[in-house]
Amino acid sequence: MFRRAALILALILTAALHAQLPSPQQFLGYPIGERFTSHQRILDYFAELTKRSDLITMRTIGETYEHRPLVLATITSAKNRARLDAVQRNLATLANGDGDVESLVQSTPAAVWLAFGIHGNESSSAESSMMVAHTLLTDPAYTALLDDLVVIIDPLENPDGRERYTEWFRRTTGVTPNPKPESFEHQEPWPGGRYNHYLIDMNRDWTWMSQRETQARVAAYKEWNPQVFVDFHEMSYQSSYFFPPDAKPINAHLPAEVEKWLDVFGRANAAEFSKRGWPFFVAERFDLFYPGYGDSWPSLHGAIGMTYEVAGGGRGGTAVEREDGTILTLADRALRHYTTAIATVRTAAQNREQLLRYTHAAARAQIDAGKNTFLILPGSPNFDELIDMLRRQDIRVDMLPAAASLRATRIDRGAVE
């Protein structure tokens, strides 16, 4: 009886402690969406949460070419945090198609990775990352889910591009933002904030891993092998909101069951948007086909990879007037991304066991499928770069120890030689 009372008291004290965590508005001194928050202040906010709560940790996984840190925040329960190494090992075992599936499923939380702002001028998602973290740490309805989940938050994937865009906007806009789309603050100059320092679109780089930001992110991904990966984007300010199901065709190398999961998460988001009277669309424009995207690369590695797109983009600023006369604000955009992020977390917790089984089954399907060996002649164009890229992607590369005669099909001609 005494031990139970002590446990209840500890839970009450923990809830009270986390309820005191500052909201983004309290910490920043302005409501989310009133202005753009700099990369450093976003990191400062996550650092403050980490200082005050034992449910969140921050880790620097690399830095940009302009020497800004790339940071991940990990949020989970105290129970999971005490055995985080074992959780990562279990998730790796499932992602490799190994182990006693049922035993692992019963003892392992699912991992949900929320990635904000790969395109720097799609600026609202980094604002919403702070709102998501605060809710997960303070709302009892969500802290109760953390035994079942590890939530990884990448608050800003492309700091160099976003700072290029937001600094230009600060210098351009007046004291009061001008929502007229023809005003100068809505005419972002080349090269804009979409790209990183070397003007690479990093949402096309997951396969090639040409940029240090991508390399750092892929290395961290392999430590977690998440079950759900969401990449938050923006599109034309005249549009509304997109979430899966995706446009067809779907990449043929993905398990057929992925479409079921896209529907599950899509319906959860649709319910939240319908409740609020917010427009959205699905199954148009945005594909799950090209393997280098931030949704399709994780999907090819056993996750449910998804892109969420809100109206805005480089012409969105902090407020812009649309053709129908409505004003789209930065606060509107951040709130919509926050809403889908929270719905995704909740849906993942509700489906933890099935998602873990999906990761294992997706790996087994690849392992048990037909295997091909590709022969590449040393000295071929870009030979060293190709081998380096294959190895970074954990693709096995060996050298024949001696000359050999082999029956092979030239993939550039389809002829057997």
PDB file of all heavy atoms in Angstrom, residues 91-115:
ATOM      1  N   LEU A  91      15.458  -2.414 -32.180  1.00  0.00           N
ATOM      2  CA  LEU A  91      14.969  -1.837 -33.428  1.00  0.00           C
ATOM      3  C   LEU A  91      15.877  -2.203 -34.599  1.00  0.00           C
ATOM      4  O   LEU A  91      15.398  -2.456 -35.714  1.00  0.00           O
ATOM      5  CB  LEU A  91      14.868  -0.312 -33.292  1.00  0.00           C
ATOM      6  CG  LEU A  91      13.799   0.197 -32.322  1.00  0.00           C
ATOM      7  CD1 LEU A  91      13.889   1.717 -32.162  1.00  0.00           C
ATOM      8  CD2 LEU A  91      12.394  -0.193 -32.784  1.00  0.00           C
ATOM      9  N   ALA A  92      17.187  -2.255 -34.351  1.00  0.00           N
ATOM     10  CA  ALA A  92      18.119  -2.674 -35.409  1.00  0.00           C
ATOM     11  C   ALA A  92      17.891  -4.130 -35.796  1.00  0.00           C
ATOM     12  O   ALA A  92      17.945  -4.490 -36.977  1.00  0.00           O
ATOM     13  CB  ALA A  92      19.549  -2.457 -34.956  1.00  0.00           C
ATOM     14  N   THR A  93      17.612  -4.976 -34.801  1.00  0.00           N
ATOM     15  CA  THR A  93      17.353  -6.394 -35.077  1.00  0.00           C
ATOM     16  C   THR A  93      16.116  -6.544 -35.951  1.00  0.00           C
ATOM     17  O   THR A  93      16.106  -7.294 -36.932  1.00  0.00           O
ATOM     18  CB  THR A  93      17.168  -7.164 -33.757  1.00  0.00           C
ATOM     19  OG1 THR A  93      18.376  -7.058 -32.983  1.00  0.00           O
ATOM     20  CG2 THR A  93      16.879  -8.635 -34.025  1.00  0.00           C
ATOM     21  N   LEU A  94      15.060  -5.813 -35.621  1.00  0.00           N
ATOM     22  CA  LEU A  94      13.844  -5.859 -36.435  1.00  0.00           C
ATOM     23  C   LEU A  94      14.106  -5.335 -37.843  1.00  0.00           C
ATOM     24  O   LEU A  94      13.631  -5.909 -38.831  1.00  0.00           O
ATOM     25  CB  LEU A  94      12.739  -5.038 -35.775  1.00  0.00           C
ATOM     26  CG  LEU A  94      12.128  -5.623 -34.499  1.00  0.00           C
ATOM     27  CD1 LEU A  94      11.298  -4.565 -33.780  1.00  0.00           C
ATOM     28  CD2 LEU A  94      11.269  -6.840 -34.814  1.00  0.00           C
ATOM     29  N   ALA A  95      14.858  -4.242 -37.954  1.00  0.00           N
ATOM     30  CA  ALA A  95      15.134  -3.643 -39.259  1.00  0.00           C
ATOM     31  C   ALA A  95      16.026  -4.524 -40.121  1.00  0.00           C
ATOM     32  O   ALA A  95      16.061  -4.361 -41.347  1.00  0.00           O
ATOM     33  CB  ALA A  95      15.778  -2.276 -39.080  1.00  0.00           C
ATOM     34  N   ASN A  96      16.737  -5.467 -39.488  1.00  0.00           N
ATOM     35  CA  ASN A  96      17.564  -6.419 -40.229  1.00  0.00           C
ATOM     36  C   ASN A  96      16.827  -7.719 -40.518  1.00  0.00           C
ATOM     37  O   ASN A  96      17.405  -8.653 -41.084  1.00  0.00           O
ATOM     38  CB  ASN A  96      18.843  -6.723 -39.452  1.00  0.00           C
ATOM     39  CG  ASN A  96      19.804  -5.555 -39.447  1.00  0.00           C
ATOM     40  OD1 ASN A  96      19.876  -4.799 -40.407  1.00  0.00           O
ATOM     41  ND2 ASN A  96      20.547  -5.385 -38.360  1.00  0.00           N
ATOM     42  N   GLY A  97      15.559  -7.786 -40.094  1.00  0.00           N
ATOM     43  CA  GLY A  97      14.775  -8.990 -40.348  1.00  0.00           C
ATOM     44  C   GLY A  97      15.162 -10.168 -39.482  1.00  0.00           C
ATOM     45  O   GLY A  97      14.891 -11.321 -39.831  1.00  0.00           O
ATOM     46  N   ASP A  98      15.783  -9.884 -38.328  1.00  0.00           N
ATOM     47  CA  ASP A  98      16.288 -10.953 -37.461  1.00  0.00           C
ATOM     48  C   ASP A  98      15.465 -11.035 -36.182  1.00  0.00           C
ATOM     49  O   ASP A  98      14.551 -10.243 -35.945  1.00  0.00           O
ATOM     50  CB  ASP A  98      17.762 -10.695 -37.104  1.00  0.00           C
ATOM     51  CG  ASP A  98      18.663 -10.717 -38.325  1.00  0.00           C
ATOM     52  OD1 ASP A  98      18.353 -11.484 -39.260  1.00  0.00           O
ATOM     53  OD2 ASP A  98      19.648  -9.962 -38.343  1.00  0.00           O
ATOM     54  N   GLY A  99      15.835 -11.995 -35.321  1.00  0.00           N
ATOM     55  CA  GLY A  99      15.320 -12.067 -33.967  1.00  0.00           C
ATOM     56  C   GLY A  99      13.960 -12.714 -33.826  1.00  0.00           C
ATOM     57  O   GLY A  99      13.290 -13.045 -34.805  1.00  0.00           O
ATOM     58  N   ASP A 100      13.589 -12.898 -32.561  1.00  0.00           N
ATOM     59  CA  ASP A 100      12.264 -13.417 -32.204  1.00  0.00           C
ATOM     60  C   ASP A 100      11.285 -12.247 -32.273  1.00  0.00           C
ATOM     61  O   ASP A 100      11.234 -11.410 -31.374  1.00  0.00           O
ATOM     62  CB  ASP A 100      12.328 -14.004 -30.794  1.00  0.00           C
ATOM     63  CG  ASP A 100      10.989 -14.581 -30.341  1.00  0.00           C
ATOM     64  OD1 ASP A 100       9.951 -14.235 -30.932  1.00  0.00           O
ATOM     65  OD2 ASP A 100      10.978 -15.348 -29.366  1.00  0.00           O
ATOM     66  N   VAL A 101      10.510 -12.194 -33.335  1.00  0.00           N
ATOM     67  CA  VAL A 101       9.686 -11.019 -33.609  1.00  0.00           C
ATOM     68  C   VAL A 101       8.736 -10.717 -32.459  1.00  0.00           C
ATOM     69  O   VAL A 101       8.655  -9.582 -31.978  1.00  0.00           O
ATOM     70  CB  VAL A 101       8.877 -11.208 -34.913  1.00  0.00           C
ATOM     71  CG1 VAL A 101       8.029  -9.980 -35.185  1.00  0.00           C
ATOM     72  CG2 VAL A 101       9.809 -11.473 -36.067  1.00  0.00           C
ATOM     73  N   GLU A 102       8.007 -11.718 -31.990  1.00  0.00           N
ATOM     74  CA  GLU A 102       6.994 -11.469 -30.972  1.00  0.00           C
ATOM     75  C   GLU A 102       7.606 -10.996 -29.670  1.00  0.00           C
ATOM     76  O   GLU A 102       7.069 -10.115 -28.990  1.00  0.00           O
ATOM     77  CB  GLU A 102       6.133 -12.710 -30.767  1.00  0.00           C
ATOM     78  CG  GLU A 102       5.201 -13.005 -31.932  1.00  0.00           C
ATOM     79  CD  GLU A 102       4.407 -11.766 -32.350  1.00  0.00           C
ATOM     80  OE1 GLU A 102       3.779 -11.130 -31.479  1.00  0.00           O
ATOM     81  OE2 GLU A 102       4.419 -11.421 -33.543  1.00  0.00           O
ATOM     82  N   SER A 103       8.751 -11.561 -29.305  1.00  0.00           N
ATOM     83  CA  SER A 103       9.422 -11.115 -28.084  1.00  0.00           C
ATOM     84  C   SER A 103       9.864  -9.657 -28.216  1.00  0.00           C
ATOM     85  O   SER A 103       9.688  -8.852 -27.293  1.00  0.00           O
ATOM     86  CB  SER A 103      10.630 -12.008 -27.794  1.00  0.00           C
ATOM     87  OG  SER A 103      11.343 -11.513 -26.686  1.00  0.00           O
ATOM     88  N   LEU A 104      10.410  -9.306 -29.371  1.00  0.00           N
ATOM     89  CA  LEU A 104      10.862  -7.930 -29.590  1.00  0.00           C
ATOM     90  C   LEU A 104       9.683  -6.961 -29.608  1.00  0.00           C
ATOM     91  O   LEU A 104       9.761  -5.861 -29.055  1.00  0.00           O
ATOM     92  CB  LEU A 104      11.640  -7.842 -30.900  1.00  0.00           C
ATOM     93  CG  LEU A 104      12.996  -8.556 -30.924  1.00  0.00           C
ATOM     94  CD1 LEU A 104      13.531  -8.627 -32.337  1.00  0.00           C
ATOM     95  CD2 LEU A 104      13.991  -7.842 -30.010  1.00  0.00           C
ATOM     96  N   VAL A 105       8.605  -7.357 -30.246  1.00  0.00           N
ATOM     97  CA  VAL A 105       7.422  -6.501 -30.339  1.00  0.00           C
ATOM     98  C   VAL A 105       6.858  -6.203 -28.952  1.00  0.00           C
ATOM     99  O   VAL A 105       6.449  -5.067 -28.662  1.00  0.00           O
ATOM    100  CB  VAL A 105       6.355  -7.152 -31.242  1.00  0.00           C
ATOM    101  CG1 VAL A 105       4.995  -6.498 -31.048  1.00  0.00           C
ATOM    102  CG2 VAL A 105       6.776  -7.075 -32.701  1.00  0.00           C
ATOM    103  N   GLN A 106       6.839  -7.195 -28.094  1.00  0.00           N
ATOM    104  CA  GLN A 106       6.262  -7.001 -26.762  1.00  0.00           C
ATOM    105  C   GLN A 106       7.127  -6.115 -25.873  1.00  0.00           C
ATOM    106  O   GLN A 106       6.615  -5.514 -24.923  1.00  0.00           O
ATOM    107  CB  GLN A 106       6.052  -8.369 -26.093  1.00  0.00           C
ATOM    108  CG  GLN A 106       5.051  -9.263 -26.796  1.00  0.00           C
ATOM    109  CD  GLN A 106       3.703  -8.590 -27.010  1.00  0.00           C
ATOM    110  OE1 GLN A 106       3.182  -7.915 -26.125  1.00  0.00           O
ATOM    111  NE2 GLN A 106       3.134  -8.775 -28.205  1.00  0.00           N
ATOM    112  N   SER A 107       8.416  -6.015 -26.163  1.00  0.00           N
ATOM    113  CA  SER A 107       9.325  -5.326 -25.239  1.00  0.00           C
ATOM    114  C   SER A 107       9.933  -4.044 -25.803  1.00  0.00           C
ATOM    115  O   SER A 107      10.786  -3.439 -25.141  1.00  0.00           O
ATOM    116  CB  SER A 107      10.465  -6.274 -24.846  1.00  0.00           C
ATOM    117  OG  SER A 107      11.219  -6.660 -25.998  1.00  0.00           O
ATOM    118  N   THR A 108       9.500  -3.605 -26.986  1.00  0.00           N
ATOM    119  CA  THR A 108      10.195  -2.505 -27.656  1.00  0.00           C
ATOM    120  C   THR A 108       9.228  -1.391 -28.037  1.00  0.00           C
ATOM    121  O   THR A 108       8.189  -1.653 -28.654  1.00  0.00           O
ATOM    122  CB  THR A 108      10.898  -3.010 -28.934  1.00  0.00           C
ATOM    123  OG1 THR A 108      11.725  -4.132 -28.606  1.00  0.00           O
ATOM    124  CG2 THR A 108      11.750  -1.919 -29.558  1.00  0.00           C
ATOM    125  N   PRO A 109       9.545  -0.148 -27.697  1.00  0.00           N
ATOM    126  CA  PRO A 109       8.726   0.975 -28.188  1.00  0.00           C
ATOM    127  C   PRO A 109       8.996   1.211 -29.669  1.00  0.00           C
ATOM    128  O   PRO A 109      10.078   0.886 -30.178  1.00  0.00           O
ATOM    129  CB  PRO A 109       9.218   2.158 -27.348  1.00  0.00           C
ATOM    130  CG  PRO A 109      10.636   1.805 -27.008  1.00  0.00           C
ATOM    131  CD  PRO A 109      10.666   0.313 -26.852  1.00  0.00           C
ATOM    132  N   ALA A 110       8.024   1.738 -30.365  1.00  0.00           N
ATOM    133  CA  ALA A 110       8.220   2.149 -31.758  1.00  0.00           C
ATOM    134  C   ALA A 110       8.910   3.508 -31.780  1.00  0.00           C
ATOM    135  O   ALA A 110       8.767   4.316 -30.857  1.00  0.00           O
ATOM    136  CB  ALA A 110       6.886   2.214 -32.488  1.00  0.00           C
ATOM    137  N   ALA A 111       9.671   3.755 -32.844  1.00  0.00           N
ATOM    138  CA  ALA A 111      10.365   5.038 -33.000  1.00  0.00           C
ATOM    139  C   ALA A 111       9.674   5.862 -34.077  1.00  0.00           C
ATOM    140  O   ALA A 111       9.397   5.360 -35.171  1.00  0.00           O
ATOM    141  CB  ALA A 111      11.831   4.818 -33.366  1.00  0.00           C
ATOM    142  N   VAL A 112       9.401   7.118 -33.746  1.00  0.00           N
ATOM    143  CA  VAL A 112       8.772   8.065 -34.677  1.00  0.00           C
ATOM    144  C   VAL A 112       9.731   9.232 -34.873  1.00  0.00           C
ATOM    145  O   VAL A 112      10.095   9.905 -33.913  1.00  0.00           O
ATOM    146  CB  VAL A 112       7.427   8.583 -34.128  1.00  0.00           C
ATOM    147  CG1 VAL A 112       6.840   9.631 -35.070  1.00  0.00           C
ATOM    148  CG2 VAL A 112       6.455   7.438 -33.921  1.00  0.00           C
ATOM    149  N   TRP A 113      10.138   9.455 -36.116  1.00  0.00           N
ATOM    150  CA  TRP A 113      11.090  10.525 -36.436  1.00  0.00           C
ATOM    151  C   TRP A 113      10.325  11.632 -37.141  1.00  0.00           C
ATOM    152  O   TRP A 113       9.717  11.414 -38.189  1.00  0.00           O
ATOM    153  CB  TRP A 113      12.196   9.965 -37.337  1.00  0.00           C
ATOM    154  CG  TRP A 113      13.347  10.889 -37.622  1.00  0.00           C
ATOM    155  CD1 TRP A 113      13.282  12.164 -38.083  1.00  0.00           C
ATOM    156  CD2 TRP A 113      14.748  10.580 -37.501  1.00  0.00           C
ATOM    157  NE1 TRP A 113      14.545  12.692 -38.252  1.00  0.00           N
ATOM    158  CE2 TRP A 113      15.465  11.736 -37.907  1.00  0.00           C
ATOM    159  CE3 TRP A 113      15.459   9.451 -37.103  1.00  0.00           C
ATOM    160  CZ2 TRP A 113      16.863  11.775 -37.927  1.00  0.00           C
ATOM    161  CZ3 TRP A 113      16.847   9.503 -37.118  1.00  0.00           C
ATOM    162  CH2 TRP A 113      17.538  10.639 -37.512  1.00  0.00           C
ATOM    163  N   LEU A 114      10.366  12.837 -36.562  1.00  0.00           N
ATOM    164  CA  LEU A 114       9.702  14.013 -37.125  1.00  0.00           C
ATOM    165  C   LEU A 114      10.786  14.972 -37.609  1.00  0.00           C
ATOM    166  O   LEU A 114      11.555  15.510 -36.801  1.00  0.00           O
ATOM    167  CB  LEU A 114       8.813  14.687 -36.078  1.00  0.00           C
ATOM    168  CG  LEU A 114       7.751  13.788 -35.425  1.00  0.00           C
ATOM    169  CD1 LEU A 114       7.008  14.556 -34.330  1.00  0.00           C
ATOM    170  CD2 LEU A 114       6.768  13.235 -36.462  1.00  0.00           C
ATOM    171  N   ALA A 115      10.852  15.181 -38.928  1.00  0.00           N
ATOM    172  CA  ALA A 115      11.924  15.967 -39.540  1.00  0.00           C
ATOM    173  C   ALA A 115      11.356  17.265 -40.099  1.00  0.00           C
ATOM    174  O   ALA A 115      10.478  17.248 -40.966  1.00  0.00           O
ATOM    175  CB  ALA A 115      12.589  15.151 -40.653  1.00  0.00           C
TER     176      ALA A 115
END
